[in-house]
């Protein structure tokens, strides 16, 4: 009997120990989850504080960490450039009012109804015409007023054809060549002394 009682007691103790370990493990897991959740919340708050500081001081030359602020600016500009390139490839533009994606060339936004700005390509001005400085309309150079907006136009001075330059015929230059005289040696240049003749 004593053997079975001891065996039963060991089994009971082991069961109680396993249950306690399971309970401890569950409590530790729960606490670790709470820690992880709080740390994530702190990270989000740090992120919000950083964004708020950047928004307030991004153009402040006396702000702290100016190198990092400039780095964030450069990264944000590169992201915006990439997004614009993606929109160009996809053939869409951003609505200036609500930011919705609208097909390029659309007259109005399909989300808020705002009129979309259209790209105007300036065509070359035909000969004898000019553009009005007020409304950019093409009018005749002879007009004193714009027939679109009525703005007074400055008269254009007639350009007189430039007179053709008359080129004088080139005069031939006669080159006079002087004959080179032979160079005499020093001995040859000395006068020859005639022999002295006694007077008779």
């Amino acid at each position: 009997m004593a053997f079975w009682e001891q065996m039963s007691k060991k089994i009971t103790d082991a069961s109680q120990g396993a249950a306690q370990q399971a309970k401890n493990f569950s409590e530790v897991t729960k606490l670790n989850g709470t820690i992880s959740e709080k740390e994530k919340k702190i990270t989000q708050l740090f992120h919000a504080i950083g964004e708020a500081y950047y928004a307030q001081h991004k153009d402040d030359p006396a702000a702290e960490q100016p190198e990092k602020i400039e780095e964030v600016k450069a990264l944000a500009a590169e992201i915006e450039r990439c997004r614009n390139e993606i929109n160009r490839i996809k053939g869409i533009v951003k609505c200036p009012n609500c930011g919705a994606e609208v097909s390029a060339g659309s007259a109005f936004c399909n989300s808020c109804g705002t009129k979309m700005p259209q790209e105007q390509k300036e065509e070359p001005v035909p000969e004898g015409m000019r553009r009005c400085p007020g409304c950019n309309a093409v009018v005749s150079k002879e007009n004193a007023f714009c027939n679109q907006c009525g703005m007074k136009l400055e008269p254009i001075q007639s350009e007189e054809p430039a007179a053709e330059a008359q080129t004088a015929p080139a005069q031939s230059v006669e080159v006079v060549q002087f004959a080179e005289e032979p160079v005499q040696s020093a001995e040859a240049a000395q006068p020859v002394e005639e022999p002295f003749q006694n007077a008779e």
Side-chain angles (χ1 to χ4, degrees):
M1 284 298 290
F3 173 76
W4 293 110
E5 288 178 357
Q6 291 178 358
M7 182 65 67
S8 176
K9 186 177 182 301
K10 289 181 180 180
I11 294 173
T12 302
D13 293 342
S15 299
Q16 291 177 351
Q20 185 63 38
Q21 289 180 358
K23 182 181 179 180
N24 293 342
F25 179 78
S26 176
E27 290 180 356
V28 170
T29 302
K30 183 179 180 180
L31 291 172
N32 283 332
T34 301
I35 292 172
S36 178
E37 182 180 354
K38 301 304 180 184
E39 287 178 344
K40 186 182 295 184
K41 185 65 176 178
I42 290 174
T43 302
Q44 293 175 353
L45 290 173
F46 282 158
H47 185 75
I49 292 171
E51 282 189 342
Y53 184 86
Y54 173 78
Q56 294 177 1
H57 300 279
K58 62 181 180 180
D59 297 324
D60 184 5
E64 296 182 4
Q65 304 292 336
E67 297 84 2
K68 293 184 178 179
I69 290 178
E70 291 301 322
E71 187 177 356
V72 171
K73 281 184 179 181
L75 292 172
E78 183 65 17
I79 290 172
E80 184 65 19
R81 186 193 68 79
C82 292
R83 285 176 176 169
N84 292 336
E85 183 66 15
I86 291 173
N87 291 338
R88 186 191 66 79
I89 295 172
K90 294 169 65 176
I92 60 176
V93 293
K94 291 283 187 179
C95 173
N97 182 46
C98 67
E101 294 184 352
V102 185
S103 298
S106 299
F108 297 92
C109 174
N110 53 9
S111 295
C112 66
T114 301
K115 187 175 181 180
M116 298 295 295
Q118 302 294 328
E119 294 184 1
Q120 297 181 354
K121 296 182 179 180
E122 189 171 307
E123 298 180 355
V125 179
E127 187 177 356
M129 309 291 285
R130 63 173 172 172
R131 290 193 178 275
C132 171
C135 65
N136 205 36
V138 178
V139 296
S140 174
K141 288 184 177 181
E142 299 177 355
N143 287 11
F145 295 88
C146 175
N147 52 13
Q148 296 291 331
C149 65
M151 181 178 181
K152 186 177 181 181
L153 304 175
E154 296 292 334
I156 298 179
Q157 298 179 356
S158 59
E159 299 179 357
E160 298 180 357
E164 297 181 357
Q166 298 181 356
T167 306
Q171 297 180 355
S172 59
V173 179
E174 183 178 356
V175 180
V176 180
Q177 295 182 352
F178 296 94
E180 296 182 358
E181 295 181 358
V183 180
Q184 297 180 354
S185 60
E187 296 179 356
Q190 293 180 359
V192 179
E193 295 182 358
E194 294 181 358
F196 179 75
Q197 296 179 359
N198 296 326
E200 294 178 356

